[in-house]
Amino acid sequence: MHIPRPSQETQELFRTLVPDAPGVQVKPMFANLGAFVNGNMFAGLFGDSIGVRLPDEAVRAELLAVEGAGPYGPAERPMGGYVSLPEEWKDDPDRLREWIGVALEQVGRMPPKEKKPRTAAPK
């Protein structure tokens, strides 16, 4: 499975879109970037595609009804619960921020992700 890399321009845009809020972190993830709250990803990059996690099915369906929105992640295995935001919205950062904010609110209500204990490497 090929994992595309985002352009420097898209990475910079993404960092400006993610709110500076308690518990929010932007971290590298598989040569891309992910935005996390309490350990749960709420937005990310897959190549130059910006995606958001929307646990509420009705809200996810609302976004999927917008022209240009679609599955997020690899075509052969899109990430469940995530939606790619329309490419043309990159010219409208306020619209991107609005949906990233919706994702942050929804994912922020989820319980914090517990870190799994490290296991010893096989010998």
Side-chain angles (χ1 to χ4, degrees):
M1 171 176 17
H2 172 71
I3 298 179
R5 294 178 183 262
S7 67
Q8 190 66 35
E9 184 178 73
T10 300
Q11 290 180 57
E12 290 169 9
L13 172 63
F14 183 74
R15 289 182 185 281
T16 68
L17 298 171
V18 175
D20 184 17
V24 171
Q25 291 181 300
V26 174
K27 300 190 281 191
M29 190 172 131
F30 306 113
N32 286 277
L33 293 175
F36 297 81
V37 61
N38 301 322
N40 295 301
M41 190 167 108
F42 66 91
L45 294 179
F46 185 75
D48 285 321
S49 176
I50 299 172
V52 292
R53 182 177 185 183
L54 299 168
D56 183 308
E57 288 183 39
V59 175
R60 189 168 55 250
E62 175 187 339
L63 180 55
L64 283 168
V66 173
E67 186 175 335
Y72 175 75
E76 59 274 4
R77 193 170 182 186
M79 294 175 65
Y82 288 81
V83 177
S84 282
L85 300 175
E87 185 70 24
E88 52 274 5
W89 285 6
K90 286 184 180 175
D91 295 330
D92 187 358
D94 290 336
R95 200 149 185 206
L96 293 170
R97 275 188 202 91
E98 176 186 345
W99 280 99
I100 288 173
V102 170
L104 172 57
E105 178 193 340
Q106 287 191 9
V107 174
R109 290 188 294 233
M110 296 171 64
K113 192 162 199 163
E114 293 185 28
K115 289 187 179 184
K116 295 179 182 177
R118 289 186 175 220
T119 58
K123 294 183 182 186

